[in-house]
Amino acid sequence: MNLNKTVFVRSAASAKDFPSDAQKRFVFVGRSNVGKSSTINSIVGKKGFAKVSSMPGKTVYVNLFNVEDKAWIIDLPGYGYSKTSKVERERYSKLIDDYFARDMANISRIYVILDIRHKPTADDQMMVEWIRAYDLPMTIVANKLDKLKKSQIEPALALIRETLQLDGSVKLIPYSAEKNEGRDALISDMLDVFN
Ligand code: GTP
Ligand code: MG
């Protein structure tokens, strides 16, 4: 699977537009504004591919990318943005629930994107517990690494592990979508699925 060959296929506003084939799914979830879309851009090596928000809560659809008819990369709308209206928030959470309910069996990995500077929120914990409850393969990506000083990195990673109660088997990848740091680790985690 050559990630440089990723193409945008469509934005899905409801379950009927989700993929229905048996290709592998890589799903990106996380709070609004943590950099899900930026992380996808960095792994596919194209800026401005998945839309990056200047305002949080911008990805209101499930954006579907495809890699060589082998895998789907799925950019879910961000959760937990407090200024979004209640109606919009309910629409998002329904869309995310619908996506999971329908597509769970095909998911190869869920990437939970966090902002490395912040302690994971209650929403993040809920997401992780949910993924665990369904026994789905999960990797944590601690993004915005470029915003920390070297000495702050280890404590930040420890706080994430502790808050989310990650055991040693869960990969936690420090990442910077801005500087492409951690990119090789993330890509090899994705490619492992094919081995
Ligand atoms: P929603 O789609 O709204 O949920 O947001 P998102 O999680 O897709 O975040 P997005 O990729 O749109 O990025 C949000 C903001 O964070 C943008 O201003 C990005 O430029 C910035 N950003 C993303 N990744 C990084 C990073 O690694 N470092 C820095 N410094 N900024 C980043
Ligand atoms: Mg986005």
Side-chain angles (χ1 to χ4, degrees), residues 73-114:
I73 292 177
I74 297 170
D75 184 13
L76 288 180
Y79 50 77
Y81 184 58
S82 57
K83 286 187 188 140
T84 309
S85 73
K86 187 158 180 271
V87 173
E88 275 296 281
R89 255 184 300 167
E90 277 167 6
R91 196 176 85 79
Y92 295 177
S93 51
K94 185 174 181 318
L95 194 58
I96 295 173
D97 283 352
D98 283 354
Y99 170 71
F100 281 130
R102 204 187 137 111
D103 215 23
M104 197 144 59
N106 294 308
I107 295 175
S108 292
R109 282 270 204 289
I110 301 188
Y111 292 97
V112 179
I113 317 293
L114 303 172

Side-chain angles (χ1 to χ4, degrees), residues 9-100:
V9 177
R10 63 181 177 270
S11 291
S14 65
K16 69 170 178 20
D17 300 320
F18 295 154
S20 53
D21 56 45
Q23 294 175 35
K24 296 182 189 307
R25 306 326 190 221
F26 297 104
V27 181
F28 288 74
V29 299
R31 252 180 321 121
S32 190
N33 213 40
V34 293
K36 295 174 294 299
S37 302
S38 302
T39 299
I40 292 173
N41 287 337
S42 103
I43 56 170
V44 305
K46 290 180 196 138
K47 282 214 163 110
F49 192 60
K51 280 219 173 58
V52 169
S53 5
S54 47
M55 270 173 25
K58 194 169 175 191
T59 309
V60 293
Y61 299 107
V62 177
N63 287 319
L64 304 170
F65 304 91
N66 191 269
V67 198
E68 299 185 294
D69 289 330
K70 290 181 180 141
W72 291 96
I73 292 177
I74 297 170
D75 184 13
L76 288 180
Y79 50 77
Y81 184 58
S82 57
K83 286 187 188 140
T84 309
S85 73
K86 187 158 180 271
V87 173
E88 275 296 281
R89 255 184 300 167
E90 277 167 6
R91 196 176 85 79
Y92 295 177
S93 51
K94 185 174 181 318
L95 194 58
I96 295 173
D97 283 352
D98 283 354
Y99 170 71
F100 281 130

